Amino acid sequence: MDILGAIEHRVRLYSALAAGTAAHAGTQLYRAVNGQQHPLQWPAGQEWSVSMMKTLFTVGSYNHWRNFIKLGMVSYPVPELEITRVPSSTFSTPGFRNSWWVSLKPAKQPQNPKASLVLMYLHGGAFMAGHPLMYKPAYRLWLQQLAAQGIHMRILAVGYPLAPEHPFPAALHAVAEVYSWLVGQLGGSEHLILAGDSAGANLTISSLAYMRDRAAGTVRGPAAAAAVAAASQQQQQGRPAFSPPLAAIMI
């Protein structure tokens, strides 16, 4: 790109961001006048960050998108949460980023929970952007709503590999690796929920199909019957077993 082209691109990018910011300000004013809040109770700054992502991806580049998410969304403080890093070196699939355990601080958790769950969450971002901690306000809301019902939950936000540096099927293999690791950590999948939004929703369903087929010894296509028939022979055949989650949620 020549100098004039670079300047033109930057002007288009900044103009689009300014227009999006003005539209966001209008929405905030309308809500203030009418006494309304964001449906997920997101702060205005967090909502602005999300609304800018589409503009950045349309007018900018995936690197613009990545940097904006990191600076504008991941850095947003949510003091109610306790966040612990799971190093990328925990897993062997190339391209892993750090993953994170997210939970409410102990004082905010139910004292005598009637159930304990683990949510393995896969963020969106068109397979080339996004961050495991980009939805901290949403995580807080989900955890608080469940805690109010006496349910304790932890979230494992997964830093799966991103394209184009790590193209398909890197993310698929990474999700399967984390899922198997988590089942081993928990001693089963009875309390495990797999969920994701956008690209993460795609990985949610595709990884379940991949793990099912891998356990059955098939490459593609429906394999539920074959999986059942092969279940008793998996150890002898050296195939990884597959334990379905309690639920799968796609947003």
Side-chain angles (χ1 to χ4, degrees):
M1 183 182 295
D2 58 25
I3 295 178
L4 290 178
I7 293 174
E8 180 183 358
H9 179 266
R10 184 164 295 185
V11 169
R12 288 177 55 236
L13 175 62
Y14 291 161
S15 297
L17 291 174
T21 299
H24 171 75
T27 300
Q28 297 303 312
L29 178 61
Y30 176 84
R31 287 183 181 155
V33 170
N34 291 277
Q36 298 178 354
Q37 294 184 359
H38 186 276
L40 293 179
Q41 301 177 15
W42 283 8
Q46 185 75 8
E47 185 182 358
W48 175 81
S49 297
V50 173
S51 68
M52 291 297 101
M53 287 196 299
K54 181 178 179 181
T55 299
L56 282 170
F57 189 64
T58 302
V59 183
S61 69
Y62 67 88
N63 279 321
H64 285 124
W65 200 8
R66 288 179 182 178
N67 291 333
F68 183 83
I69 289 171
K70 186 174 181 179
L71 295 174
M73 299 178 69
V74 177
S75 61
Y76 190 86
V78 182
E80 297 89 345
L81 296 179
E82 192 168 80
I83 299 174
T84 305
R85 183 173 68 96
V86 180
S88 59
S89 58
T90 305
F91 309 105
S92 61
T93 302
F96 253 109
R97 298 163 294 146
N98 291 329
S99 299
W100 304 85
W101 280 112
V102 182
S103 61
L104 291 176
K105 290 186 175 179
K108 301 294 184 179
Q109 296 176 5
Q111 297 305 307
N112 297 296
K114 56 187 178 184
S116 293
L117 302 172
V118 170
L119 174 66
M120 177 177 161
Y121 196 79
L122 310 173
H123 66 78
F127 301 102
M128 64 180 69
H131 191 283
L133 296 179
M134 63 191 286
Y135 297 132
K136 286 187 290 184
Y139 295 161
R140 173 182 58 191
L141 178 64
W142 299 343
L143 293 169
Q144 288 175 337
Q145 289 179 335
L146 289 173
Q149 300 181 49
I151 298 173
H152 172 262
M153 186 171 77
R154 294 183 296 156
I155 298 172
L156 179 62
V158 179
Y160 59 83
L162 298 177
E165 297 90 341
H166 302 280
F168 179 87
L172 182 66
H173 291 168
V175 171
E177 182 182 359
V178 177
Y179 184 91
S180 298
W181 174 82
L182 194 51
V183 169
Q185 294 287 310
L186 299 175
S189 61
E190 294 83 3
H191 303 284
L192 175 59
I193 299 170
L194 180 60
D197 68 281
S198 192
N202 182 297
L203 285 171
T204 295
I205 191 65
S206 60
S207 64
L208 289 174
Y210 167 72
M211 289 185 286
R212 177 201 64 188
D213 292 353
R214 182 181 63 177
T218 59
V219 177
R220 64 184 64 178
V228 173
S232 63
Q233 303 177 15
Q234 286 169 356
Q235 295 303 320
Q236 292 88 338
Q237 295 173 343
R239 298 175 188 143
F242 172 49
S243 301
L246 173 65
I249 302 172
M250 288 151 284
I251 303 173

